[in-house]
Structure formats: C-alpha cells, structure tokens
Amino acid sequence: MAGLAALFFLPSQPARAEQTATISWNASADPSVVGYCVYTREDNSPNLTRVDVGANPRVLIGGLKEGLAYGFSVSSYNTAGIESEPSPEVSVTLKVPVKLKPGATPKSPVTVQFPAAPGKWYEVQASSDLKNWTTIWQTGVATVYAPVEFQDVQSVMMKSRFYRLIVH
C-alpha cells in the first residue's frame, strides 16, 4: 500500500481545559486502500489510542488537554484488514491559556489563572518593559489536571505589568 503524503493538525479555537483537533491527510492513490486508522499518543506515553475512521481522510479528535504534547500518525488498510506502516508522527503541544483577572478595585492585585497538566511545573514571569523578565512565582509538579491561580500582590505598585508562563 502506498504511504500517506501529509498529515495536518488544526486545534479548535476556543480556549478551554479540553480541546478538539481536526486531523486530516492526503488520501492514498492506491486503489487497494479502503480505510485509515489514526493513532494518538499523549505526552510521549508508550500507549497509543487507535481510531478506525473508515475511508474518511479526516477525523475530529476530542479530549486533548492544554499544556500537553500529542503525537498523531495515520495508517491505511486494505479489504483484508492489512495495515500499512503508520506515517511519521506529527507532534504538537497545546498552548496553555493564561487569563488575567483584575482586582475588584485599582488597589487590588491582579490574579493570574491557567490550567496545570500532570507531570508539568510552571513559572509565572512578569515584566514592565517586555525585555527583562523575572520569575515571580512557580508551582510544584502538578499531579492532576487542575486550574491554578496566583495573586500578584506587586501588580498594584506597577504602572504596567506583562506576564508570561513558562512550562517545564
């Protein structure tokens, strides 16, 4: 059976704890190919999830968590059910959305919120000029997928304050 020419990953737009992705590829020109299987690997796990998508060269994969890396590959199969070697794995890490919640009053500190993924730890960094960054808080290694928030008490003393999140 002929190999697959391309594999594409398109994350869904709305930011939320779980996302969906559209996985699509160029259909095989081999007339013996009657269907495809998509393999998903979460965060370099040895475990693969296999989804038989039939003849459709496109599938929506749900339950993807922000902050985790995913690998996707595709194989084709014929009428006898014989599967080709999977395509090379395409990897992507879903971005972690950071939300800033202003204080109730101008003298109240800003709260930084984001989802934490198991096995990862995070640094919240701040800057007043977008050139010089300082770590102002960090988490321990997360054991479960859960929301995290940090209140930046120094924000009330700053005219402008920018934030970024470093994932480890």
Side-chain angles (χ1 to χ4, degrees), residues 2 7 10 12 17 26 28 32 34 39 45 56-57 67 83 86 92 117-118 120 136 141-142 166:
L7 180 67
L10 300 170
S12 63
N26 295 334
S28 175
S32 69
V34 296
Y39 292 90
S45 165
N56 190 358
E83 239 178 279
V92 65
K120 307 285 185 192
I136 58 172
V141 176
I166 308 296

Side-chain angles (χ1 to χ4, degrees), residues 17-158:
E18 290 194 354
Q19 299 231 359
T20 58
T22 300
I23 309 297
S24 61
W25 54 94
N26 295 334
S28 175
D30 185 338
S32 69
V33 170
V34 296
Y36 303 96
C37 293
V38 174
Y39 292 90
T40 304
R41 177 188 323 273
E42 182 179 285
D43 233 21
N44 296 318
S45 165
N47 302 323
L48 291 173
T49 301
R50 180 182 182 268
V51 177
D52 185 332
V53 298
N56 190 358
R58 178 183 174 111
V59 65
L60 189 66
I61 304 283
L64 306 177
K65 295 181 175 83
E66 292 163 337
L68 294 182
Y70 290 89
F72 302 96
S73 59
V74 177
S75 67
S76 60
Y77 59 86
N78 62 20
T79 54
I82 298 171
E83 239 178 279
S84 69
E85 287 293 316
S87 66
E89 194 169 273
V90 172
S91 297
V92 65
T93 300
L94 298 183
K95 293 185 185 220
V96 178
V98 177
K99 296 177 186 171
L100 299 179
K101 191 168 111 181
T105 69
K107 301 270 185 200
S108 299
V110 169
T111 300
V112 179
Q113 300 173 319
F114 58 92
K120 307 285 185 192
W121 65 278
Y122 303 82
E123 286 181 72
V124 176
Q125 295 186 340
S127 173
S128 59
D129 61 9
L130 293 172
K131 293 179 186 173
N132 301 299
W133 293 90
T134 303
T135 298
I136 58 172
W137 186 71
Q138 68 184 38
T139 69
V141 176
T143 57
V144 295
Y145 199 86
V148 173
E149 66 178 44
F150 161 72
Q151 206 168 54
D152 180 11
V153 295
Q154 294 179 355
S155 65
V156 296
M157 298 178 282
M158 306 289 180

